[in-house]
Amino acid sequence: MKMKFSTVALAALLFAGLSLTSSFAQIGISVGIAPPAIPIYEQPYPPAEGYIWTPGYWAYDSDYYWVPGVWVAPPRVGFLWTPGYWGYNGSNYFFNDGYWGPTVGFYGGINYGYGYGGQGYYGGEWAGNTFRYNTAVTRVNTSVIHNTYVNKQVVNNNRSRASFNGPGGTTAKPTAQEQAAAKAEHIPATSAQQSRVEAAKKDPALHAANNHGKPKADAIKALDRNNEAQAGAGKAKGKAGQEAANGNSAFGHKQGDATTRTKGSQNNAFGKAQSAEAHASHTARTHRTNTAATAHATQRPQIVSHRPQGVPTRQAGPAASTHAKGQAAQPNKKKKPANEEPGGGH
């Protein structure tokens, strides 16, 4: 049976450091007013193959704010997203966090659209290590993504825009299979999903107090553009750092610039000269020692070392050059990037 808490009880448990994990999902927050209806919006195309749609929902801080749906790279092959949902316990509305798992669990019977009609997910499916998209309920640019199929039998004609489970909303109950999905191994929202929640919270245009429960498409597009710009900046910074690391690790090799390669060659030549000088010095000293040993062999037995004491051992060249010569260059790796109804198509 699902755990239900008022705001006071929730705060008390958080203070005590107790787990809020129920048999279904983790309860994130509890408030006294119902969330607005699911707005009508258009699903964007997936950025690349393998991304899975996570629908938009109303989150709560000082008031409700809309977290637009987004395509997300799943944390593990074969995992699907179970959306979070609002439930009612007779006095407060409480939010159950979504999670990733091998099967889709209970999400309150909420019709989020685009494959999330209230139970399960029919916007796509895994076929081995490949995710295929059902274009009957999912918007896909088929000129870019070719792993698609059509299954119109899963189209849901339910036009409800209720955003919570309880009186005045949906009345669905979890099935035994959905209960089992919640108890099975699952993973919480990814860092990309969490970052999107924080970005939406900071955007006044997405708060219900300002948009009256109807966030504008322009506000959602602006959030997407900002997220894309931040992601692009992060990739550029990571690429620059990787290039710098490659230049350092490939000292004296072709991966460095002209100056680095020149210095590397000079250091290598200097090392070879030192090595030749050390070898000649060692050979001469060894010859003199062996000659002296032969002349006095009849007087006193003597053990002659091929490296007399007092003769220092010299390195073949600077440590940086030796290290560079034995270290393989690390290549840069680039990753491939990735209909309109209540909450989307059905």
Side-chain angles (χ1 to χ4, degrees):
M1 189 172 180
K2 184 175 295 296
M3 299 172 68
K4 303 174 182 179
F5 301 98
S6 66
T7 304
V8 175
L10 179 68
L13 284 175
L14 288 173
F15 180 80
L18 298 178
S19 172
L20 296 181
T21 302
S22 71
S23 61
F24 297 159
Q26 182 174 352
I27 297 173
I29 195 169
S30 175
V31 296
I33 54 176
I38 300 293
I40 296 174
Y41 63 92
E42 184 179 60
Q43 182 186 42
Y45 288 142
E49 294 182 349
Y51 280 65
I52 294 178
W53 178 249
T54 59
Y57 65 96
W58 290 103
Y60 189 90
D61 186 37
S62 55
D63 68 335
Y64 284 105
Y65 61 94
W66 179 248
V67 180
V70 65
W71 291 97
V72 176
R76 189 178 300 176
V77 171
F79 271 30
L80 298 169
W81 176 247
T82 296
Y85 73 96
W86 290 94
Y88 185 68
N89 65 359
S91 59
N92 288 304
Y93 297 87
F94 55 92
F95 188 75
N96 298 268
D97 291 332
Y99 56 88
W100 293 93
T103 57
V104 177
F106 184 65
Y107 53 91
I110 310 300
N111 181 17
Y112 287 111
Y114 296 113
Y116 295 96
Q119 185 179 56
Y121 175 59
Y122 301 100
E125 63 183 14
W126 286 98
N129 294 335
T130 301
F131 189 78
R132 302 170 63 236
Y133 301 85
N134 181 11
T135 56
V137 293
T138 300
R139 295 185 72 245
V140 174
N141 184 351
T142 54
S143 64
V144 177
I145 296 177
H146 307 292
N147 298 321
T148 62
Y149 65 100
V150 177
N151 181 7
K152 296 182 179 180
Q153 294 180 352
V154 300
V155 174
N156 187 348
N157 294 319
N158 175 19
R159 303 294 177 178
S160 171
R161 295 173 56 198
S163 61
F164 63 93
N165 181 290
T170 68
T171 57
K173 302 296 181 182
T175 65
Q177 183 179 1
E178 288 172 331
Q179 292 179 358
K183 295 177 182 179
E185 176 189 11
H186 53 258
I187 300 173
T190 65
S191 58
Q193 290 173 282
Q194 295 171 4
S195 296
R196 191 169 181 83
V197 174
E198 291 301 314
K201 181 170 38 175
K202 296 176 182 177
D203 190 340
L206 295 176
H207 281 250
N210 300 321
N211 60 38
H212 306 291
K214 298 178 180 180
K216 295 183 178 180
D218 290 343
I220 296 174
K221 291 179 180 179
L223 180 71
D224 290 338
R225 285 194 299 269
N226 291 337
N227 287 350
E228 290 173 1
Q230 292 175 0
K235 289 181 179 179
K237 183 177 180 181
K239 181 179 179 181
Q242 182 64 35
E243 289 176 349
N246 287 340
N248 290 334
S249 64
F251 182 72
H253 288 262
K254 293 182 180 180
Q255 280 74 9
D257 58 18
T259 302
T260 303
R261 292 197 297 271
T262 301
K263 289 181 179 179
S265 299
Q266 290 173 347
N267 284 336
N268 287 336
F270 175 70
K272 290 178 180 179
Q274 282 192 319
S275 178
E277 181 185 350
H279 178 72
S281 176
H282 173 69
T283 302
R285 285 184 173 87
T286 302
H287 177 72
R288 288 196 298 271
T289 302
N290 289 340
T291 302
T294 302
H296 295 84
T298 56
Q299 297 180 8
R300 180 162 56 95
Q302 192 174 26
I303 299 176
V304 180
S305 171
H306 289 280
R307 181 174 293 172
Q309 294 183 355
V311 178
T313 301
R314 304 182 68 180
Q315 294 183 355
S321 177
T322 303
H323 174 70
K325 186 175 181 181
Q327 184 173 3
Q330 299 294 326
N332 289 331
K333 295 183 180 178
K334 294 183 180 180
K335 293 183 179 179
K336 289 186 178 180
N339 268 336
E340 178 174 0
E341 302 172 20
H346 304 277

Coordinates of all heavy atoms in Angstrom, one line a residue, residues 17-85:
G17 N 15.9 11.6 8.6 CA 16.8 10.9 7.7 C 16.2 9.5 7.3 O 16.9 8.6 6.9
L18 N 14.8 9.4 7.4 CA 14.2 8.1 7.0 C 14.0 8.1 5.5 O 13.8 9.1 4.9 CB 12.9 8.0 7.8 CG 13.0 7.9 9.3 CD1 11.6 7.8 9.9 CD2 13.9 6.8 9.8
S19 N 13.9 6.8 5.0 CA 13.7 6.6 3.6 C 12.2 6.9 3.3 O 11.3 6.5 4.1 CB 14.1 5.2 3.2 OG 13.6 5.0 1.9
L20 N 11.9 7.5 2.2 CA 10.5 7.7 1.7 C 10.2 6.8 0.6 O 9.3 7.1 -0.2 CB 10.3 9.2 1.3 CG 10.5 10.2 2.4 CD1 10.3 11.6 1.9 CD2 9.6 9.9 3.6
T21 N 10.8 5.7 0.4 CA 10.6 4.8 -0.7 C 9.4 3.9 -0.3 O 9.5 3.1 0.6 CB 11.8 3.9 -1.0 OG1 12.9 4.8 -1.3 CG2 11.6 3.0 -2.2
S22 N 8.4 4.0 -1.1 CA 7.2 3.1 -0.9 C 7.3 1.9 -1.8 O 8.3 1.7 -2.5 CB 5.9 3.9 -1.3 OG 5.9 4.1 -2.7
S23 N 6.3 1.1 -1.8 CA 6.3 -0.1 -2.7 C 6.2 0.3 -4.1 O 6.4 -0.5 -5.0 CB 5.1 -1.0 -2.3 OG 3.9 -0.3 -2.4
F24 N 5.8 1.5 -4.4 CA 5.6 1.9 -5.8 C 6.7 2.8 -6.3 O 7.4 2.6 -7.3 CB 4.3 2.6 -6.0 CG 3.1 1.8 -5.7 CD1 1.9 2.4 -5.4 CD2 3.2 0.4 -5.7 CE1 0.7 1.6 -5.2 CE2 2.1 -0.4 -5.5 CZ 0.9 0.2 -5.2
A25 N 7.0 3.9 -5.6 CA 8.0 4.9 -6.0 C 8.3 5.8 -4.8 O 7.7 5.7 -3.8 CB 7.4 5.7 -7.2
Q26 N 9.3 6.7 -5.1 CA 9.7 7.6 -4.0 C 8.8 8.9 -4.1 O 8.6 9.4 -5.1 CB 11.1 8.0 -4.2 CG 11.6 8.9 -3.1 CD 13.1 9.2 -3.2 OE1 13.8 8.5 -4.0 NE2 13.6 10.1 -2.4
I27 N 8.3 9.2 -2.9 CA 7.5 10.4 -2.8 C 8.3 11.6 -2.7 O 9.1 11.7 -1.7 CB 6.5 10.3 -1.7 CG1 5.5 9.1 -1.9 CG2 5.7 11.6 -1.5 CD1 4.7 8.8 -0.7
G28 N 8.2 12.6 -3.6 CA 9.1 13.8 -3.5 C 8.6 14.9 -2.8 O 9.3 15.6 -2.1
I29 N 7.2 15.2 -2.9 CA 6.7 16.4 -2.2 C 5.2 16.3 -2.0 O 4.6 15.5 -2.8 CB 7.0 17.7 -3.0 CG1 6.8 19.0 -2.2 CG2 6.2 17.7 -4.3 CD1 7.3 20.2 -2.9
S30 N 4.6 17.0 -1.1 CA 3.2 16.9 -0.9 C 2.6 18.3 -0.7 O 3.2 19.1 0.1 CB 2.9 16.1 0.4 OG 1.5 16.1 0.7
V31 N 1.6 18.7 -1.4 CA 1.0 20.0 -1.3 C -0.5 19.9 -1.1 O -1.1 18.9 -1.3 CB 1.3 20.9 -2.5 CG1 2.8 21.1 -2.6 CG2 0.9 20.2 -3.8
G32 N -1.1 21.1 -0.8 CA -2.6 21.1 -0.5 C -3.5 21.4 -1.7 O -4.7 21.3 -1.5
I33 N -2.9 21.8 -2.9 CA -3.8 22.1 -4.0 C -3.4 21.2 -5.2 O -2.3 20.8 -5.3 CB -3.6 23.6 -4.4 CG1 -2.1 23.9 -4.6 CG2 -4.2 24.5 -3.3 CD1 -1.9 25.3 -5.1
A34 N -4.4 21.0 -6.0 CA -4.2 20.1 -7.2 C -3.4 20.8 -8.3 O -3.5 22.0 -8.4 CB -5.5 19.6 -7.7
P35 N -2.6 20.0 -9.0 CA -1.9 20.6 -10.1 C -2.8 21.0 -11.3 O -3.9 20.4 -11.4 CB -0.9 19.5 -10.5 CG -1.6 18.2 -10.1 CD -2.3 18.6 -8.9
P36 N -2.4 21.9 -12.2 CA -3.2 22.2 -13.3 C -3.3 21.0 -14.3 O -2.6 20.0 -14.2 CB -2.5 23.4 -14.0 CG -1.6 23.9 -12.9 CD -1.2 22.7 -12.1
A37 N -4.2 21.2 -15.3 CA -4.4 20.1 -16.3 C -3.1 20.0 -17.2 O -2.3 20.9 -17.3 CB -5.6 20.4 -17.1
I38 N -3.0 18.8 -17.8 CA -1.9 18.6 -18.7 C -2.1 19.5 -19.9 O -3.1 19.5 -20.6 CB -1.8 17.2 -19.2 CG1 -1.6 16.2 -18.0 CG2 -0.7 17.0 -20.2 CD1 -0.2 16.4 -17.3
P39 N -1.1 20.4 -20.3 CA -1.3 21.3 -21.4 C -1.2 20.6 -22.7 O -0.7 19.5 -22.8 CB -0.2 22.3 -21.2 CG 0.8 21.6 -20.5 CD 0.1 20.6 -19.6
I40 N -1.7 21.2 -23.8 CA -1.6 20.7 -25.1 C -0.2 21.2 -25.7 O 0.0 22.4 -25.7 CB -2.7 21.1 -26.0 CG1 -4.0 20.5 -25.5 CG2 -2.5 20.7 -27.5 CD1 -5.3 20.9 -26.2
Y41 N 0.6 20.3 -26.2 CA 1.8 20.7 -26.8 C 2.2 19.8 -27.9 O 1.7 18.7 -28.0 CB 2.9 20.8 -25.8 CG 3.3 19.5 -25.1 CD1 4.3 18.6 -25.6 CD2 2.6 19.0 -24.0 CE1 4.6 17.4 -25.1 CE2 2.8 17.8 -23.4 CZ 3.8 17.0 -24.0 OH 4.1 15.8 -23.4
E42 N 3.2 20.2 -28.7 CA 3.7 19.3 -29.8 C 5.0 18.7 -29.5 O 5.9 19.4 -29.0 CB 3.8 20.1 -31.1 CG 4.2 19.3 -32.3 CD 4.3 20.1 -33.6 OE1 5.1 21.0 -33.6 OE2 3.6 19.8 -34.5
Q43 N 5.1 17.4 -29.7 CA 6.3 16.7 -29.4 C 7.4 17.0 -30.4 O 7.2 16.9 -31.6 CB 6.1 15.2 -29.4 CG 7.3 14.3 -29.0 CD 7.0 12.8 -29.2 OE1 6.4 12.4 -30.1 NE2 7.4 12.0 -28.2
P44 N 8.6 17.4 -30.0 CA 9.7 17.6 -30.9 C 10.3 16.3 -31.5 O 10.0 15.2 -30.9 CB 10.8 18.3 -30.1 CG 10.5 17.8 -28.7 CD 9.0 17.6 -28.6
Y45 N 11.0 16.3 -32.5 CA 11.7 15.1 -33.1 C 12.8 14.7 -32.1 O 13.4 15.5 -31.5 CB 12.3 15.4 -34.4 CG 11.2 15.6 -35.6 CD1 11.4 16.5 -36.6 CD2 10.1 14.7 -35.6 CE1 10.5 16.6 -37.6 CE2 9.2 14.9 -36.6 CZ 9.4 15.8 -37.6 OH 8.5 16.0 -38.7
P46 N 13.0 13.4 -32.0 CA 14.2 12.9 -31.3 C 15.5 13.4 -31.9 O 15.6 13.5 -33.1 CB 14.1 11.4 -31.3 CG 13.2 11.1 -32.5 CD 12.3 12.3 -32.6
P47 N 16.5 13.8 -31.1 CA 17.8 14.3 -31.7 C 18.6 13.3 -32.3 O 19.4 13.6 -33.2 CB 18.5 14.9 -30.5 CG 17.9 14.1 -29.3 CD 16.5 13.8 -29.7
A48 N 18.5 12.0 -32.0 CA 19.3 10.9 -32.5 C 18.6 9.6 -32.2 O 17.7 9.5 -31.3 CB 20.7 11.0 -31.9
E49 N 19.1 8.6 -32.8 CA 18.5 7.2 -32.5 C 18.9 6.8 -31.1 O 20.0 7.2 -30.6 CB 19.1 6.2 -33.5 CG 18.7 6.4 -34.9 CD 19.2 5.4 -35.9 OE1 20.1 4.6 -35.5 OE2 18.7 5.3 -37.0
G50 N 18.0 6.1 -30.5 CA 18.3 5.6 -29.1 C 17.7 6.4 -28.0 O 17.6 6.0 -26.9
Y51 N 17.3 7.7 -28.3 CA 16.7 8.5 -27.2 C 15.3 8.1 -27.0 O 14.5 7.7 -27.9 CB 16.8 10.0 -27.7 CG 18.1 10.6 -27.5 CD1 19.2 10.2 -28.2 CD2 18.3 11.7 -26.5 CE1 20.5 10.8 -28.0 CE2 19.5 12.3 -26.3 CZ 20.6 11.8 -27.1 OH 21.8 12.4 -26.9
I52 N 14.8 8.3 -25.7 CA 13.5 7.9 -25.3 C 12.8 9.1 -24.8 O 13.3 9.9 -24.1 CB 13.5 6.8 -24.2 CG1 14.1 5.5 -24.9 CG2 12.2 6.5 -23.7 CD1 14.3 4.3 -23.9
W53 N 11.5 9.2 -25.2 CA 10.7 10.4 -24.8 C 10.3 10.3 -23.3 O 9.8 9.2 -22.8 CB 9.4 10.5 -25.6 CG 8.5 11.6 -25.3 CD1 7.3 11.5 -24.7 CD2 8.8 13.0 -25.4 NE1 6.8 12.8 -24.5 CE2 7.7 13.7 -25.0 CE3 9.9 13.7 -25.9 CZ2 7.6 15.1 -25.0 CZ3 9.8 15.1 -25.9 CH2 8.7 15.8 -25.5
T54 N 10.5 11.4 -22.5 CA 10.0 11.5 -21.2 C 9.1 12.6 -21.1 O 9.4 13.8 -21.4 CB 11.2 11.7 -20.2 OG1 11.9 12.9 -20.6 CG2 12.2 10.6 -20.3
P55 N 7.8 12.4 -20.8 CA 6.8 13.4 -21.0 C 6.9 14.5 -20.0 O 7.5 14.4 -18.9 CB 5.5 12.6 -20.8 CG 5.9 11.5 -19.9 CD 7.2 11.1 -20.3
G56 N 6.3 15.7 -20.4 CA 6.3 16.8 -19.4 C 5.3 16.6 -18.3 O 4.4 15.8 -18.4
Y57 N 5.5 17.4 -17.2 CA 4.6 17.2 -16.0 C 4.7 18.5 -15.2 O 5.6 19.3 -15.4 CB 5.0 16.0 -15.2 CG 6.4 16.1 -14.6 CD1 6.6 16.6 -13.3 CD2 7.6 15.8 -15.3 CE1 7.9 16.7 -12.7 CE2 8.8 15.9 -14.8 CZ 9.0 16.3 -13.5 OH 10.2 16.5 -12.9
W58 N 3.8 18.6 -14.3 CA 3.8 19.8 -13.3 C 4.6 19.4 -12.1 O 4.3 18.4 -11.4 CB 2.4 20.2 -12.9 CG 1.6 20.8 -14.0 CD1 0.6 20.2 -14.7 CD2 1.7 22.1 -14.5 NE1 0.1 21.1 -15.7 CE2 0.8 22.3 -15.5 CE3 2.5 23.2 -14.1 CZ2 0.6 23.5 -16.2 CZ3 2.4 24.4 -14.8 CH2 1.4 24.6 -15.9
A59 N 5.7 20.2 -11.8 CA 6.4 20.1 -10.6 C 6.0 21.2 -9.7 O 5.2 22.1 -10.0 CB 7.9 20.1 -10.9
Y60 N 6.5 21.2 -8.4 CA 6.1 22.1 -7.5 C 7.3 22.7 -6.7 O 8.2 21.9 -6.2 CB 5.1 21.6 -6.5 CG 4.5 22.6 -5.6 CD1 3.3 23.3 -5.9 CD2 5.0 22.9 -4.3 CE1 2.7 24.2 -5.1 CE2 4.5 23.8 -3.5 CZ 3.3 24.5 -3.9 OH 2.8 25.5 -3.1
D61 N 7.4 24.0 -6.5 CA 8.3 24.6 -5.6 C 7.5 25.5 -4.7 O 6.9 25.1 -3.8 CB 9.4 25.4 -6.4 CG 10.5 25.9 -5.5 OD1 10.9 25.2 -4.5 OD2 11.0 27.0 -5.8
S62 N 7.5 26.8 -5.0 CA 6.6 27.7 -4.2 C 5.2 27.7 -4.9 O 4.2 28.1 -4.3 CB 7.2 29.1 -4.2 OG 7.4 29.6 -5.5
D63 N 5.2 27.3 -6.1 CA 4.0 27.1 -6.9 C 4.2 26.0 -8.0 O 5.4 25.6 -8.1 CB 3.4 28.4 -7.5 CG 4.3 28.9 -8.6 OD1 5.5 28.6 -8.6 OD2 3.8 29.6 -9.4
Y64 N 3.2 25.7 -8.7 CA 3.4 24.7 -9.8 C 4.2 25.3 -10.9 O 3.9 26.5 -11.3 CB 2.1 24.1 -10.2 CG 1.5 23.1 -9.3 CD1 0.4 23.5 -8.4 CD2 2.0 21.8 -9.2 CE1 -0.2 22.6 -7.6 CE2 1.4 20.9 -8.3 CZ 0.3 21.3 -7.5 OH -0.2 20.4 -6.6
Y65 N 5.0 24.5 -11.6 CA 5.7 25.0 -12.8 C 5.8 23.8 -13.7 O 5.9 22.6 -13.3 CB 7.1 25.6 -12.5 CG 8.1 24.7 -11.8 CD1 9.0 23.9 -12.6 CD2 8.1 24.5 -10.5 CE1 9.9 23.1 -12.0 CE2 9.0 23.7 -9.8 CZ 9.9 23.0 -10.6 OH 10.8 22.1 -10.0
W66 N 5.7 24.1 -15.0 CA 5.7 23.1 -16.0 C 7.2 22.7 -16.4 O 8.0 23.5 -16.8 CB 5.0 23.5 -17.3 CG 4.9 22.5 -18.4 CD1 5.5 22.6 -19.6 CD2 4.2 21.3 -18.4 NE1 5.2 21.5 -20.4 CE2 4.4 20.7 -19.7 CE3 3.4 20.7 -17.5 CZ2 3.8 19.5 -20.0 CZ3 2.8 19.4 -17.8 CH2 3.0 18.8 -19.0
V67 N 7.4 21.3 -16.4 CA 8.7 20.8 -16.8 C 8.4 20.2 -18.2 O 7.8 19.1 -18.3 CB 9.3 19.8 -15.8 CG1 10.6 19.2 -16.4 CG2 9.4 20.3 -14.5
P68 N 8.8 20.8 -19.3 CA 8.5 20.3 -20.6 C 9.1 18.9 -20.8 O 10.2 18.6 -20.3 CB 9.1 21.3 -21.6 CG 9.2 22.6 -20.7 CD 9.5 22.1 -19.3
G69 N 8.4 18.1 -21.6 CA 8.9 16.8 -22.0 C 10.2 16.9 -22.8 O 10.5 18.0 -23.4
V70 N 11.0 15.9 -22.8 CA 12.3 15.9 -23.4 C 12.8 14.5 -23.8 O 12.4 13.5 -23.1 CB 13.4 16.6 -22.5 CG1 13.6 15.8 -21.3 CG2 14.7 16.9 -23.3
W71 N 13.5 14.4 -24.9 CA 14.1 13.2 -25.3 C 15.4 13.0 -24.5 O 16.2 13.9 -24.3 CB 14.5 13.2 -26.8 CG 13.3 13.2 -27.7 CD1 12.7 14.3 -28.3 CD2 12.5 12.0 -28.1 NE1 11.6 13.9 -29.0 CE2 11.5 12.5 -29.0 CE3 12.6 10.7 -27.9 CZ2 10.6 11.6 -29.5 CZ3 11.7 9.8 -28.4 CH2 10.7 10.3 -29.3
V72 N 15.5 11.8 -23.9 CA 16.6 11.5 -23.0 C 17.3 10.2 -23.4 O 16.7 9.2 -23.8 CB 16.1 11.3 -21.6 CG1 17.3 11.0 -20.6 CG2 15.5 12.6 -21.1
A73 N 18.6 10.2 -23.3 CA 19.4 9.0 -23.5 C 19.2 8.1 -22.3 O 19.5 8.5 -21.2 CB 20.9 9.3 -23.8
P74 N 18.7 6.9 -22.4 CA 18.4 6.0 -21.3 C 19.7 5.7 -20.6 O 20.8 5.6 -21.2 CB 17.7 4.8 -21.8 CG 18.2 4.8 -23.3 CD 18.3 6.2 -23.7
P75 N 19.7 5.5 -19.3 CA 20.9 5.1 -18.5 C 21.4 3.7 -18.8 O 22.6 3.4 -18.5 CB 20.5 5.3 -17.1 CG 19.1 5.0 -17.1 CD 18.6 5.6 -18.4
R76 N 20.6 2.9 -19.4 CA 21.0 1.5 -19.7 C 20.2 1.0 -20.8 O 19.0 1.3 -21.0 CB 20.8 0.7 -18.4 CG 21.3 -0.8 -18.5 CD 21.1 -1.5 -17.2 NE 21.7 -0.8 -16.1 CZ 21.6 -1.2 -14.8 NH1 20.8 -2.3 -14.5 NH2 22.1 -0.6 -13.8
V77 N 20.8 0.1 -21.7 CA 20.1 -0.5 -22.8 C 19.0 -1.4 -22.2 O 19.2 -2.1 -21.3 CB 21.1 -1.3 -23.6 CG1 20.4 -2.2 -24.7 CG2 22.1 -0.4 -24.3
G78 N 17.8 -1.3 -22.8 CA 16.7 -2.1 -22.4 C 15.8 -1.4 -21.4 O 14.7 -1.9 -21.1
F79 N 16.2 -0.3 -20.8 CA 15.4 0.4 -19.8 C 14.4 1.4 -20.4 O 14.7 2.0 -21.5 CB 16.3 1.2 -18.8 CG 16.8 0.3 -17.7 CD1 16.9 -1.0 -17.8 CD2 17.0 0.9 -16.4 CE1 17.3 -1.8 -16.7 CE2 17.5 0.2 -15.4 CZ 17.6 -1.2 -15.5
L80 N 13.3 1.5 -19.8 CA 12.2 2.4 -20.2 C 11.9 3.4 -19.0 O 12.3 3.1 -17.9 CB 11.0 1.6 -20.6 CG 11.1 0.7 -21.8 CD1 9.9 -0.2 -21.9 CD2 11.3 1.5 -23.1
W81 N 11.2 4.5 -19.3 CA 10.9 5.5 -18.3 C 9.5 5.3 -17.8 O 8.5 5.2 -18.6 CB 11.1 6.9 -19.0 CG 10.7 8.0 -18.1 CD1 9.6 8.9 -18.2 CD2 11.4 8.4 -16.9 NE1 9.6 9.8 -17.2 CE2 10.7 9.6 -16.4 CE3 12.5 8.0 -16.2 CZ2 11.0 10.2 -15.2 CZ3 12.9 8.6 -15.0 CH2 12.2 9.7 -14.5
T82 N 9.4 5.3 -16.5 CA 8.1 5.4 -15.8 C 7.9 6.8 -15.3 O 8.6 7.2 -14.5 CB 8.0 4.4 -14.7 OG1 8.1 3.0 -15.1 CG2 6.6 4.5 -13.9
P83 N 6.9 7.6 -15.9 CA 6.8 9.0 -15.5 C 6.3 9.1 -14.0 O 5.7 8.2 -13.5 CB 5.7 9.5 -16.4 CG 5.6 8.5 -17.6 CD 6.0 7.2 -17.0
G84 N 6.7 10.2 -13.4 CA 6.2 10.5 -12.1 C 4.7 11.0 -12.2 O 4.2 11.3 -13.3
Y85 N 4.0 11.0 -11.1 CA 2.6 11.4 -11.1 C 2.2 11.9 -9.7 O 2.8 11.6 -8.7 CB 1.7 10.3 -11.5 CG 1.6 9.2 -10.5 CD1 0.4 9.2 -9.6 CD2 2.5 8.2 -10.3 CE1 0.3 8.2 -8.7 CE2 2.3 7.2 -9.4 CZ 1.2 7.2 -8.5 OH 1.1 6.2 -7.6

